[in-house]
Amino acid sequence: MHMSLRPLLSVTLGDTSLLTTPPLLLSSWDACSVNDLSSARKALNHHRYPVGLLLLNNSRDADVIDLDALLEAHQSTQWVGVFPAEIIKLPVYRALIVQHLFDFHTWPIDPFRLNHTLGHAYGYAELSGSPDITISAKRDMELVGQSEAIQQLRRQITKVAQANAPVLIWGESGSGKELTAHAIHNHSKRAHGPFIAVNCGAIPASLIQSELFGYERGAFTGAAKEKRGLIESAAGGTLFLDEIGDLPLELQTNLLRFLQERTINRIGASNSIEVDVRVIAASHVRLEDAVKSGLFREDLLYRLNVLPLTVPALRERKEDLELLARHFFKVFSHDKNPRLTGFSNRAMLAIKMHDWPGNVRELINRIRRALVMSEGRLITPEDLDLQMQTGLRNGEALEEARIRAERDAIHVCLQGSGSNVTRAARDLGVSRMTLYRLMEKHGISP
């Protein structure tokens, strides 16, 4: 494929003698032209086309159903349609256009206008992100992001995974501690073994000992048969103890004994059982403070804190916000209405200005809410239940806050418009010349 040409799939449906595209229109595109939906599916399954051109003059209902299925299956392609004026009066085609198309034109073709639309569609497709985001995320431990903070965490995980010593992960609630523990397990020699996660704060104190260590038959009323505990179940693999700071003190003693001797005693048993398991613990509170308060054993802290890791808060990796938002939009897209195609510029600006006290979990929850609540083509700040912030950060001067907000707004609108200054100026509500002056002021180029 010629590197200077942009890939385009051109799908012609109907009487091909009536549907001709001027050669000049496709001169800047590496166009693959097909004349039926079956060929279109094959082309889309073998190659990524950011833009699709749909040329149509057939209004048969059966074709509409098949076409709808094709467009639904390939939503990452930005489709531009060309229809006879009378066809778009039909409700079924109106629905098709609203739900699936980036834009549409009517015959006869105006090459300049259509090429301009295709260029916009291509810019939007590039901004929307490659469908390889999820694939690269899996390759990179499912920790989505390219910030220095997340790249450093990946490097630390790779090193820690090769050892067998206990790991203590600290991070705010919702920041991704369990995901980090999974990544350590998956990149270790124990990856073939089980990964058992235990939320120490979610199990009642009266049950946590029997859940962790198991019990023998008849050990207490209701123990009709023996039961393996979660530590035994993790043999050969990894035991992840989330919110370890919530573990009762008496259980901390038993866990310390296990870490020292690598053996456990089921409740009601007289003999010890040797268990080969790696322990990864996590906490959203600083355990050093819990030790000072008498709520956590100092010797257990030293046993667990052999290989410490810190998961960065989302506000410390804000450059990952857009990538994360688009990633979760795709992950949970089964909940959205078919018309919804992405985020408005205002929504992305609101996302970047929010401090995310609930971290990635809060981002996921807000995006899932927006996917259900949104009624338009683009998610708005209102759909996310986010306010466009006007307050100051950490006592910064009013002028500094205004300059930062102005610069952020220009960046987001230029990105959302595919670096089209006219469109970005319209989104910002200023003239094109005013936007050029603001860009020069902030040192921004399209």
Side-chain angles (χ1 to χ4, degrees), residues 313-322 346-367 381 384-393 404-405 408 412:
L314 190 51
R315 64 180 174 277
E316 297 170 1
R317 43 183 290 227
K318 281 201 164 186
E319 56 267 52
D320 290 334
L321 274 168
E322 184 167 353
R346 289 177 62 247
M348 197 56 73
L349 183 59
I351 286 172
K352 292 181 177 181
M353 293 180 72
H354 188 56
D355 274 339
W356 300 106
N359 292 294
V360 179
R361 186 180 297 129
E362 181 188 355
L363 177 64
I364 292 172
N365 291 344
R366 288 188 183 273
I367 289 176
L384 293 161
D385 197 22
L386 288 177
Q387 302 293 323
M388 296 296 287
Q389 295 180 10
T390 56
L392 305 186
R393 293 181 184 173
R404 172 179 51 76
D408 289 346
V412 170

Side-chain angles (χ1 to χ4, degrees), residues 1-8 27-31 47-48 50 122 126:
M1 182 180 293
H2 199 284
M3 294 301 292
S4 62
L5 298 181
R6 297 165 293 178
L8 170 78
S27 61
S28 61
W29 298 89
D30 186 353
H47 187 76
R48 182 191 173 229
Y122 182 82
E126 292 299 292

Side-chain angles (χ1 to χ4, degrees), residues 392-413:
L392 305 186
R393 293 181 184 173
N394 300 323
E396 67 182 342
L398 179 62
E399 179 63 16
E400 292 175 357
R402 188 188 65 76
I403 291 172
R404 172 179 51 76
E406 193 174 79
R407 184 173 58 246
D408 289 346
I410 293 169
H411 271 301
V412 170
C413 286

Side-chain angles (χ1 to χ4, degrees), residues 62 90 112 130 272 314 424:
L90 301 175
F112 178 78
S130 162
S272 299
L314 190 51

